[in-house]
Amino acid sequence: MAKTGLASRLYRGEAGVDVVGKRKLWFTVAGVLILISVLSFGIQKFSLGIEFAGGNSFQVPASVGTLEQAEEKVDAALASTAGGAEVATAQKVGGTGGDYYEIRTSQLTPEQADAAKAEIARELGIQPDQISGSQVSEAWGSQVTSRALLGLVIFIAVVMVYLILRFEWRMAVAAVSSLFMNLILTAGIYSLVGFEVTPSTIIGFLTILGFALYDVVVVFDKVQENTRGITANNNQTYGEAANLAINQSLMRSLNTSVVALLPVGGLLFIGAGLLGAGTLKDLGLVLFVGMAIAFLTSILLATPLLVLLKNYEPRIQAHNKRVLARRGALARGEITPKGAPRPAGEDDEPVDPEEAALAGAAPKVGARPAGKRPSGARGGRPAGGGGNRPGGAKRR
C-alpha cells in the first residue's frame, strides 16, 4: 500500500504548500510586524531589570509568608521611608541556606536603603540581620550590553563567511536577514508584553541565533540539492524547486522545533511557573519565544527572500523564461511532451520496412537486415544444397 501520510506527501511535494508563491504576503506581514516592533521600542520601550536600570535588592526568608504578602509589606515599608520608591520585581529563589524572596526595588540612596531595611524587618516581624541587601549600578548593565553587541557582530561576521563558503552570498544574505528578523520580533514581543530584560535575556538572545541558523541551513541545504543543475532542464523554475525543498524539509524543521521547545517549555512552565525558580524565567522565556519565531522565519522568510534574490540573476531569469515559454507552448498544443502519444495524422501512417530501408532509415540495433536471404557460397548454406554433405559429392 502506498504511503499517503502528510509527511510522505510533503516529502514528495504533493501537499501543495505554496510558500514561495505567496512570498509577497509573507514580506508584507513581516514588514508590518517590524513596524509594530520598532514603534513599540520607541513608545512602549523595554522593562529593564535593575542590572540595566539600577536599583536595590533585598533578600528576606521565605518563612515570613507568601511572596505576595512579602511584596505588599515591602511596598508599605518603602512608602514610609523612601517616598517615590516601589517594588520592581519579586521572585522566590532557592539557596544553600533555604528558600528566600528576592525583592528588587528602584534606586535608593544609602540612607534610604538602611531605613527601608529596618522598616521591612519591622513589617515582617524579623530581625534586621535576617535581611540582606545589595545595590546594583546601571553601569554594569551597560557593560553587559556592549559586550553582547560585540558578540553579536562577531557571530554575524562568522556566519556570513561560513554561509558564503558553504553555499553562496545570496543564501548568506537571506539567512542573516532571517536572523535579524528573529531578533527584532522577539524583542518586539518583549517590549509589547512588558517582559523584564535581564542579563539572562541577553544570553537567551544570543542562544536563539544558533538555533535559528541551524533551521535555515537545513532548508537551504535541501534548496541547493533541488536546484543543482536546474538550468539543464526546462521542467521547473528556481522558485518551484525551492518551494519543493521547503515542503520536503518542513516536517523535519517542525519536528526539530517541537523537540527543542519541549525542554525549554518545561524549563519555563514547570521550573519557573510551578516550582517558582525565578532565575530560570528570563532565560526560558526568551528561548521559548525565539525558537518559535525562528521556525517561522526560516520557512516563511529566508527561502522566499532567497528566491527573490536569485530571480535577479541573469542565468536564473533566462531559465525561468524558458520554462514558462515551454509551458505556454504546451498549453497551446504547439509542442508535445515527451512520452505522450502523437495525434493521428498522415505522418503517423504505418511505414513499410523495405521503404524505410530504401529511404535511408537506420535499422534498430540487433535487428535482422531487411530483404531476401542471400544465396550462394557466402549465403546461409553451402552451394549445392547438400546440407552437411561435401559440396563435390554426387547422389548415386
Side-chain angles (χ1 to χ4, degrees):
M1 182 181 295
K3 295 181 180 180
T4 58
L6 177 61
S8 179
R9 289 187 289 114
L10 280 173
Y11 185 81
R12 295 195 302 267
E14 299 173 357
V17 181
D18 188 12
V19 176
V20 174
K22 298 179 180 179
R23 58 182 177 271
K24 291 183 179 180
L25 173 63
W26 311 133
F27 293 157
T28 302
V29 172
V32 171
L33 293 178
I34 290 176
L35 179 61
I36 294 175
S37 298
V38 172
L39 291 176
S40 179
F41 298 160
I43 299 173
Q44 184 74 9
K45 302 185 183 300
F46 292 99
S47 177
L48 300 177
I50 64 170
E51 294 88 355
F52 296 97
N56 289 70
S57 175
F58 297 95
Q59 292 84 33
V60 300
S63 58
V64 298
T66 64
L67 180 62
E68 290 76 14
Q69 292 172 346
E71 186 176 354
E72 290 176 0
K73 292 181 178 180
V74 171
D75 258 330
L78 290 175
S80 61
T81 57
E86 59 182 5
V87 174
T89 61
Q91 61 184 1
K92 185 177 181 180
V93 181
T96 56
D99 295 340
Y100 62 91
Y101 298 138
E102 183 177 16
I103 301 174
R104 298 178 175 181
T105 69
S106 52
Q107 190 79 40
L108 302 175
T109 64
E111 294 77 12
Q112 289 176 334
D114 293 337
K117 182 177 179 180
E119 185 64 21
I120 292 171
R122 191 186 67 79
E123 289 280 348
L124 296 176
I126 59 177
Q127 296 298 321
D129 58 1
Q130 292 181 268
I131 302 175
S132 59
S134 60
Q135 186 174 14
V136 180
S137 173
E138 61 181 359
W140 187 83
S142 301
Q143 186 179 9
V144 171
T145 304
S146 61
R147 291 184 178 180
L149 291 176
L150 178 61
L152 177 62
V153 171
I154 295 175
F155 177 83
I156 295 298
V158 173
V159 166
M160 286 289 291
V161 173
Y162 167 75
L163 292 177
I164 291 174
L165 296 177
R166 174 65 178 83
F167 299 109
E168 59 168 311
W169 70 266
R170 295 175 182 84
M171 287 188 174
V173 171
V176 172
S177 300
S178 175
L179 295 182
F180 278 118
M181 180 71 177
N182 191 15
L183 289 177
I184 293 173
L185 293 185
T186 305
I189 291 176
Y190 260 73
S191 176
L192 288 171
V193 181
F195 294 150
E196 187 179 23
V197 179
T198 65
S200 297
T201 306
I202 303 300
I203 295 172
F205 270 103
L206 297 179
T207 304
I208 61 176
L209 289 176
F211 178 83
L213 177 64
Y214 168 78
D215 218 15
V216 171
V217 169
V218 167
V219 179
F220 279 4
D221 186 68
K222 197 64 182 178
V223 171
Q224 187 184 53
E225 179 183 339
N226 286 3
T227 57
R228 185 178 290 113
I230 191 173
T231 56
N233 62 76
N234 296 328
N235 298 326
Q236 283 182 318
T237 64
Y238 188 92
E240 292 167 347
N243 191 75
L244 177 61
I246 293 178
N247 281 267
Q248 292 172 337
S249 57
L250 181 59
M251 289 304 298
R252 179 178 178 181
S253 297
L254 179 61
N255 292 335
T256 302
S257 300
V258 170
V259 170
L261 286 173
L262 285 177
V264 175
L267 183 74
L268 177 62
F269 299 111
I270 298 177
L274 297 180
L275 301 180
T279 53
L280 301 177
K281 180 183 66 175
D282 302 328
L283 180 61
L285 189 61
V286 69
L287 289 178
F288 191 85
V289 174
M291 287 181 176
I293 295 178
F295 166 73
L296 297 176
T297 54
S298 64
I299 298 296
L300 301 180
L301 182 67
T303 306
L305 182 57
L306 169 64
V307 173
L308 179 65
L309 294 175
K310 291 292 290 186
N311 285 341
Y312 285 104
E313 188 177 351
R315 181 176 62 93
I316 299 299
Q317 283 184 348
H319 168 73
N320 292 340
K321 289 179 181 179
R322 288 196 303 269
V323 173
L324 297 178
R326 180 175 181 272
R327 288 179 185 172
L330 286 172
R332 294 188 299 269
E334 297 176 359
I335 60 175
T336 304
K338 289 184 178 181
R342 297 181 62 185
E346 294 181 357
D347 294 337
D348 295 322
E349 292 293 329
V351 180
D352 184 69
E354 293 186 0
E355 294 179 0
L358 292 174
K364 294 182 178 180
V365 177
R368 181 173 293 175
K372 295 182 180 181
R373 181 177 298 168
S375 59
R378 299 191 180 189
R381 292 183 180 180
N388 294 329
R389 288 178 295 176
K394 294 183 179 180
R395 185 180 301 230
R396 292 184 182 272

